[in-house]
Amino acid sequence: MAGGVLVASTNGRQYEGKVTMFVLVTCLVAAMGGLLFGYDLGITGGVTSMEPFLVKFFPGVYKQMKDESGHESQYCKFDNELLTLFTSSLYLAALIASFFASTTTRMLGRKASMFAGGLFFLVGALLNGFAVNIEMLIIGRILLGFGVGYCNQSVPMYLSEMAPAKIRGALNMGFQMMITIGILGANIINYFTSNLESGWRISLGIGAVPAILLCIGSFFLGDTPNSMIERGQKEGAKKMLQKIRGIDNVDEEFQDLIDASEEAKKVEHPWKNITQLRYRPQLTFCSLIPFFQQLTGINVIMFYAPVLFKTLGFGNDASLMSSVITGGVNVVATFVSIFTVDKFGRKILFLEGGVQMFICQIVVGSMIAIKFGVSGEGSFTHIEANLLLFFICAYVAAYAWSWGPLGWLVPSEICSLEVRSAGQATNVAVNMLFTFAIAQVFLTMLCHLKFGLFFFFAGFVVIMTIFIVLFFPETNNVPIEEMNKVWKSHWFWTKFVSDVVVDHDRQVVV
């Protein structure tokens, strides 16, 4: 999501237009980029818990898992650096790819980046599905990471620029919804392939299907008016704007898009701008929101749910079914955010989600501590296992209607035009960096911190919730061009923010 310009109604006006079927179909096809990301998030943990997969690529982990000597702690059965590299390499690749994708998206257009993302993901999925050694596996993961990086860069931007302003928020959260659907779909596929000798190949290879659909779909999609203007295709941009708005008279909005594009071209050093004192709130939130999002502990569930459940004594089928259940909760709870974020605001969702996640993590950590202790030896009864699953689902629900979607929404709406590309790039880079870090160290942390891992993440939830209480002003229904007033009226940020604002004619005034 780094680079480019996101323009809705840059002067606060509402434009005429319809919600056309063309826009809905176009945005549905584009949102499949989120499906790719979600599918990979969900598929990895299930595959790494499949015995044939472990026997072929990670025999040391399989041996630990099958150790019946009683000397091997349950917490450490899956602790293996190569196994975590299989998961985390994708997110490091996505971090690197996001910077290349920024240039591609700006110079060649949004649809070109989506096509590139789908193509990278397609090749990576096929390499993983047909892998015969660990090298093919890791190379495939890196290519999948490039696909994710390109899709996360281009798809949200495409949706924002194609959608009418009155449903822009809903369509943007549709990207998050597709991610959750991808996770759920992956969990279901893992459940049905887990007992097949080559089930892991099917699970990894099926990722090629949505990638093919995205490649074909993006090939036939039209590019956004913003992108076409950015690349000097003004006549084509006006025709596209008329098509997606369903009316002929789009002169006012079209002129605003041209003006915004010209204004953005004047910003030569957005990275230098965002480090200035008056942009301290934007830089702070674009850095800390994605940082905190990853330290909620959600990746423990999303990446390693089957491994985690299996570690805690669930059988193979039971662990995968538990992942399906948590994936379903994730999808349903995301709908809650879509229908409440504009009604109740961002801050209340942040706070409620934080409190609920904290309570669930303390309960889960305490249950594991009581049953497994420090030694890692023990098991849950059927009733206890169901109770544990309930609190994990409650935790997933809290994340899905708070830090999940808001972690992407808030950074995207607080940055003014002149620092928007730098703010978005910072958001994506920090998110991918810490997604990689958590994925790489989680199994080692589980081995060494044991049940304390849940208390570790609960501690960060307390910190981030206090941070929101003290430093986050409500941004709901605040136009971007008036966001400076929000910071100026805040008890802390007023120390940094100047009185410089941008009026509706885009002239700097004091």
Side-chain angles (χ1 to χ4, degrees):
M1 289 180 284
V5 182
L6 302 179
V7 179
S9 174
T10 54
N11 55 14
R13 294 192 293 266
Q14 294 295 317
Y15 304 115
E16 295 182 15
K18 309 171 185 176
V19 180
T20 63
M21 184 58 66
F22 175 77
V23 165
L24 295 178
V25 172
T26 296
C27 289
L28 177 63
V29 172
M32 281 192 293
L35 193 65
L36 300 184
F37 188 25
Y39 185 83
D40 186 82
L41 283 171
I43 210 70
T44 307
V47 166
T48 53
S49 71
M50 294 181 185
E51 293 185 4
F53 177 81
L54 293 175
V55 168
K56 185 170 184 64
F57 296 105
F58 306 98
V61 177
Y62 178 76
K63 183 178 179 181
Q64 286 178 214
M65 186 180 72
K66 289 297 185 181
D67 184 8
E68 301 293 343
S69 66
H71 300 296
E72 181 65 49
S73 169
Q74 284 285 97
Y75 297 119
C76 301
K77 285 186 178 292
F78 290 88
D79 183 21
N80 181 278
E81 289 185 6
L82 268 180
L83 182 62
T84 52
L85 181 62
F86 168 71
T87 298
S88 61
S89 57
L90 182 148
Y91 304 99
L92 185 59
L95 166 63
I96 297 170
S98 65
F99 294 104
F100 292 100
S102 174
T103 302
T104 304
T105 303
R106 185 177 64 254
M107 297 182 64
L108 301 181
R110 292 28 165 171
K111 59 177 287 184
S113 268
M114 285 192 289
F115 178 81
L119 191 60
F120 276 125
F121 202 93
L122 171 61
V123 177
L126 292 176
L127 270 178
N128 275 183
F130 291 104
V132 294
N133 53 48
I134 192 67
E135 289 79 13
M136 282 185 69
L137 211 58
I138 298 300
I139 292 172
R141 291 292 291 175
I142 291 173
L143 290 175
L144 289 172
F146 270 77
V148 168
Y150 268 79
C151 286
N152 281 5
Q153 154 70 30
S154 56
V155 171
M157 184 179 293
Y158 187 93
L159 294 174
S160 292
E161 294 176 347
M162 290 295 280
K166 59 186 176 181
I167 61 170
R168 180 169 286 111
L171 285 179
N172 269 334
M173 282 198 168
F175 177 68
Q176 175 72 17
M177 176 59 66
M178 293 298 284
I179 292 176
T180 63
I181 291 173
I183 293 171
L184 176 60
N187 290 336
I188 293 173
I189 289 171
N190 276 338
Y191 179 75
F192 285 107
T193 61
S194 61
N195 292 320
L196 302 176
E197 183 63 28
S198 297
W200 62 272
R201 292 191 185 277
I202 298 173
S203 292
L204 293 175
I206 284 180
V209 175
I212 291 172
L213 294 177
L214 179 63
C215 286
I216 295 174
S218 61
F219 185 78
F220 290 102
L221 291 178
D223 218 331
T224 69
N226 309 65
S227 176
M228 298 172 78
I229 292 172
E230 198 171 30
R231 291 177 289 131
Q233 303 171 10
K234 294 185 178 179
E235 184 176 343
K238 187 172 185 178
K239 291 180 180 178
M240 177 58 69
L241 188 60
Q242 291 171 332
K243 187 174 183 179
I244 63 179
R245 297 295 180 251
I247 58 174
D248 292 328
N249 183 17
V250 295
D251 292 344
E252 183 180 21
E253 182 176 4
F254 183 64
Q255 187 59 48
D256 279 343
L257 295 180
I258 292 177
D259 293 344
S261 179
E262 293 300 320
E263 188 69 22
K265 289 178 182 178
K266 297 177 184 178
V267 180
E268 297 180 0
H269 306 290
W271 288 103
K272 183 178 179 180
N273 283 359
I274 202 170
T275 60
Q276 295 176 9
L277 197 62
R278 68 174 182 268
Y279 297 118
R280 190 56 48 82
Q282 290 90 332
L283 180 60
T284 299
F285 282 97
C286 285
S287 301
L288 289 185
I289 290 290
F291 168 73
F292 283 142
Q293 185 193 52
Q294 298 311 308
L295 284 167
T296 58
I298 190 62
N299 288 339
V300 173
I301 306 300
M302 294 299 103
F303 291 162
Y304 298 113
V307 171
L308 177 64
F309 287 127
K310 203 168 183 178
T311 296
L312 297 177
F314 289 63
N316 188 53
D317 288 346
S319 67
L320 291 171
M321 178 51 71
S322 298
S323 299
V324 172
I325 294 172
T326 55
V329 169
N330 195 20
V331 172
V332 173
T334 302
F335 277 108
V336 175
S337 67
I338 292 175
F339 291 113
T340 60
V341 68
D342 291 319
K343 183 177 182 180
F344 298 111
R346 284 69 163 141
K347 192 164 188 174
I348 188 65
L349 289 181
F350 269 133
L351 298 181
E352 193 284 331
V355 171
Q356 186 170 323
M357 283 191 293
F358 173 77
I359 292 172
C360 293
Q361 285 168 321
I362 293 298
V363 171
V364 170
S366 298
M367 289 182 65
I368 296 173
I370 292 170
K371 298 300 292 186
F372 287 86
V374 177
S375 68
E377 298 177 13
S379 62
F380 287 113
T381 66
H382 182 70
I383 294 176
E384 290 168 340
N386 287 336
L387 185 62
L388 181 77
L389 180 60
F390 169 80
F391 279 103
I392 288 179
C393 286
Y395 161 78
V396 170
Y399 174 85
W401 63 54
S402 62
W403 282 89
L406 294 178
W408 293 102
L409 173 61
V410 169
S412 72
E413 69 180 2
I414 63 174
C415 291
S416 51
L417 181 65
E418 63 271 19
V419 295
R420 193 171 303 161
S421 62
Q424 291 287 7
T426 301
N427 180 35
V428 172
V430 173
N431 190 289
M432 289 295 117
L433 177 62
F434 283 95
T435 300
F436 163 77
I438 295 297
Q440 184 64 27
V441 304
F442 163 65
L443 291 177
T444 300
M445 289 175 69
L446 178 62
C447 179
H448 293 282
L449 294 180
K450 303 174 174 58
F451 58 83
L453 179 64
F454 294 91
F455 300 142
F456 171 83
F457 287 122
F460 270 100
V461 170
V462 171
I463 293 171
M464 65 184 71
T465 302
I466 294 174
F467 172 78
I468 293 296
V469 170
L470 294 178
F471 301 110
F472 181 69
E474 181 57 68
T475 58
N476 188 29
N477 293 325
V478 179
I480 291 176
E481 63 270 18
E482 297 179 13
M483 196 64 69
N484 193 76
K485 297 178 182 178
V486 174
W487 308 122
K488 189 65 181 173
S489 62
H490 188 268
W491 71 273
F492 181 79
W493 299 118
T494 187
K495 304 172 187 177
F496 303 95
V497 180
S498 68
D499 290 319
V500 177
V501 297
V502 181
D503 71 6
H504 291 169
D505 294 320
R506 300 185 181 87
Q507 300 296 316
V508 177
V509 298
V510 179

